[in-house]
Amino acid sequence: MKKILFAGDYYDYEEYEDGSKKLQTEKNSRGFKITINVSGDPEEHKAGIAAVKDFFVKGNL
């Protein structure tokens, strides 16, 4: 399994044949278990990732 850096934490990363993706961590730096499933076309992926990043950035303020 591949690891990627997302919003300051390392997540397990899986990409499936249909283009969907899964980010998961048992415990992020804030102590939460996080699982993010992303599916849809590439434009939807960009919008979804941007929304999640926006959530994490606003949560750090």
Side-chain angles (χ1 to χ4, degrees):
M1 186 174 306
K2 186 176 178 181
K3 294 254 185 205
I4 63 166
L5 184 63
F6 178 74
D9 292 308
Y10 283 97
Y11 286 77
D12 295 329
Y13 174 83
E14 294 180 69
E15 188 168 338
Y16 302 101
E17 289 181 19
D18 66 356
S20 63
K21 298 166 180 66
K22 179 179 177 181
L23 300 172
Q24 183 175 9
T25 185
E26 287 298 316
K27 190 174 185 181
N28 69 6
S29 59
R30 298 166 126 189
F32 293 100
K33 178 178 180 176
I34 304 287
T35 301
I36 302 168
N37 294 304
V38 181
S39 61
D41 65 42
E43 289 303 314
E44 289 175 327
H45 287 189
K46 288 178 190 175
I49 294 294
V52 172
K53 284 183 179 179
D54 187 46
F55 170 80
F56 278 101
V57 169
K58 287 183 179 178
N60 286 329
L61 298 177

